[in-house]
């Protein structure tokens, strides 16, 4: 089993979360495929493996994993949420034509938070950066 999968399952067990085969498959799918899928895409992928599983089950599991901090839910405009395994902090580039999401690993722009705090008096907790444009396939 993939190390990250194993480690995450250990942490879920410690938190007394029951590891159902579906839950494990959803987690594995997110960790092994860096595709930022929607709940529906995860469902489509696992439907043959778990014919009795519903989209709602997938969604509830993603919600649970998000609430526990293992997964990040990304909302882009009014399209459905995409889910990402939150291993390392990173930013995203989003194709405005096909909706593909590519990871950007770049040092955290923490200075932005300091500047924002200075300018607004906010106690800043987080920030988001998204880059929009056309992916290589969509440029042709
Ligand atoms: Zn594209
Ligand atoms: Zn990502």
């Amino acid at each position: 089993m993939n190390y990250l999968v194993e480690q995450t399952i250990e942490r879920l067990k410690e938190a007394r979360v029951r590891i159902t085969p579906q839950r494990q498959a959803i987690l594995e799918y997110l960790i092994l495929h860096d595709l930022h899928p929607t709940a529906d895409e995860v469902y489509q992928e696992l439907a043959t493996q778990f014919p009795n599983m519903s989209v709602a089950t997938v969604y509830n599991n993603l919600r649970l994993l998000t609430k526990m901090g293992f997964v990040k839910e990304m909302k882009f405009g009014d399209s459905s949420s995409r889910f990402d395994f939150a291993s390392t902090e990173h930013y995203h580039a989003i194709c405005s034509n096909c909706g593909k999401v590519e990871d950007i690993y770049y040092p955290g722009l923490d200075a932005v938070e300091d500047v924002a705090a200075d300018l607004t008096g906010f106690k800043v907790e987080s920030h988001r950066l998204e880059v929009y444009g056309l992916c290589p396939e969509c440029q042709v």
Side-chain angles (χ1 to χ4, degrees):
M1 204 193 292
N2 175 285
Y3 171 72
L4 261 180
V5 177
E6 214 172 319
Q7 196 190 36
T8 309
I9 287 173
E10 270 318 303
R11 286 172 61 192
L12 286 171
K13 280 183 187 161
E14 278 164 27
R16 300 188 188 284
V17 173
R18 206 157 58 90
I19 311 296
T20 61
Q22 286 101 320
R23 188 162 289 160
Q24 180 166 336
I26 292 166
L27 185 67
E28 255 172 2
Y29 184 78
L30 278 182
I31 291 177
L32 302 179
H33 303 85
D34 206 4
L35 296 168
H36 310 86
T38 60
D40 205 54
E41 283 165 353
V42 176
Y43 169 74
Q44 302 286 343
E45 281 304 318
L46 301 178
T48 44
Q49 207 180 329
F50 301 103
N52 297 322
M53 184 173 67
S54 66
V55 191
T57 305
V58 173
Y59 199 74
N60 291 338
N61 272 289
L62 289 170
R63 265 285 142 80
L64 174 84
L65 293 168
T66 304
K67 220 175 84 189
M68 295 186 70
F70 292 113
V71 167
K72 272 196 179 143
E73 179 176 2
M74 305 184 288
K75 293 189 177 107
F76 300 125
D78 50 7
S79 56
S80 35
S81 292
R82 296 188 161 274
F83 294 89
D84 198 8
F85 185 74
S87 47
T88 355
E89 208 55 59
H90 59 269
Y91 298 109
H92 291 111
I94 299 124
C95 179
S96 39
N97 186 49
C98 69
K100 176 181 174 178
V101 180
E102 199 71 57
D103 289 335
I104 306 171
Y105 289 94
Y106 190 81
L109 302 169
D110 299 331
V112 171
E113 297 194 1
D114 296 337
V115 172
D118 281 350
L119 291 175
T120 62
F122 271 47
K123 188 178 172 298
V124 177
E125 287 164 352
S126 68
H127 70 273
R128 241 166 76 152
L129 171 75
E130 278 144 25
V131 174
Y132 294 91
L134 292 174
C135 75
E137 288 83 59
C138 291
Q139 287 170 37
V140 216

